[in-house]
Amino acid sequence: MELVTDMNADDDAGVPIRLVLERSRVVVQWRVDGTSLVAQEDDLDAILLQDPPGPHGIWQKPFGPGTISSFIEADPGELDRPSWWVLYGNADPSVDVRVHIDEDDVPDPVVHRVGGVWACEWVSYPTFAEIHRSDRDRTARVSFERPMFMPPAPHPEVEIRQRRRGRGSGKSVENR
């Protein structure tokens, strides 16, 4: 993991700690009250303008430890090239979070930490990701597949290959 950030005693509790992921430009912000805001940089100003008055407004309380959220550059099969993918969730800063991408030619992403939020990004064709947390026995698996309700993809050749479904590359974060 990288970028574990703590507030100093003299830091302003109302000013969030901020990280912008390099490739996707997804912004991760965390406040000392434990709330966070994760959004694409281009959408952030509009989101902040909508912030209703109140103790939290658009700021989210921590999700449960098994909750994983994502941002994607495009739906699987929409682009004829690799695209960026982002996963994020909440975890106490003492919890080790590792993400494994199930592709031999795609390195596992760096997991960034901003207060109680973890986030990572990578570039690949649609794939599977495994999320391992030191506070949980089970590894979560996320599949970036085109939903069945969507029309056929313009570039189906870049979707997760059927021959790999369920098998993966054999690499696993639990085997390291």
Side-chain angles (χ1 to χ4, degrees):
M1 288 186 295
E2 191 171 288
L3 199 77
V4 176
T5 310
D6 295 314
M7 303 263 321
N8 296 319
D10 56 344
D11 288 340
D12 183 350
V15 176
I17 298 172
R18 177 184 168 113
L19 165 72
V20 180
L21 297 175
E22 185 177 337
R23 179 68 185 237
S24 62
R25 306 304 299 169
V26 167
V27 178
V28 180
Q29 295 185 105
W30 181 82
R31 298 192 305 194
V32 75
D33 68 359
T35 59
S36 62
L37 173 61
V38 181
Q40 291 185 281
E41 188 175 48
D42 292 344
D43 299 335
L44 196 57
D45 287 340
I47 291 170
L48 291 172
L49 287 174
Q50 296 173 7
D51 192 7
H56 297 295
I58 58 172
W59 293 85
Q60 298 289 316
K61 293 180 181 178
F63 300 122
T67 304
I68 301 165
S69 299
S70 66
F71 284 96
I72 60 175
E73 181 177 7
D75 289 319
E78 291 294 320
L79 302 175
D80 64 349
R81 61 171 174 76
S83 59
W84 57 257
W85 311 88
V86 172
L87 289 176
Y88 68 96
N90 294 101
D92 185 89
S94 67
V95 173
D96 181 41
V97 179
R98 291 178 286 146
V99 176
H100 166 69
I101 306 307
D102 198 13
E103 296 291 332
D104 290 331
D105 59 343
V106 177
D108 292 346
V110 172
V111 176
H112 301 278
R113 300 299 296 267
V114 180
V117 179
W118 64 267
C120 66
E121 69 177 350
W122 70 95
V123 174
S124 71
Y125 288 106
T127 189
F128 296 101
E130 294 176 346
I131 298 89
H132 177 75
R133 298 169 51 111
S134 62
D135 63 343
R136 298 179 64 86
D137 292 331
R138 295 185 61 187
T139 297
R141 188 167 168 93
V142 176
S143 173
F144 291 97
E145 295 181 88
R146 189 174 187 86
M148 298 284 291
F149 63 82
M150 292 184 72
H155 301 283
E157 69 277 7
V158 302
E159 291 188 81
I160 297 174
R161 295 170 203 90
Q162 294 297 322
R163 64 175 166 44
R164 297 199 53 213
R165 188 180 304 255
R167 284 194 4 214
S169 66
K171 297 188 310 182
S172 172
V173 294
E174 293 178 311
N175 296 334
R176 291 181 186 197

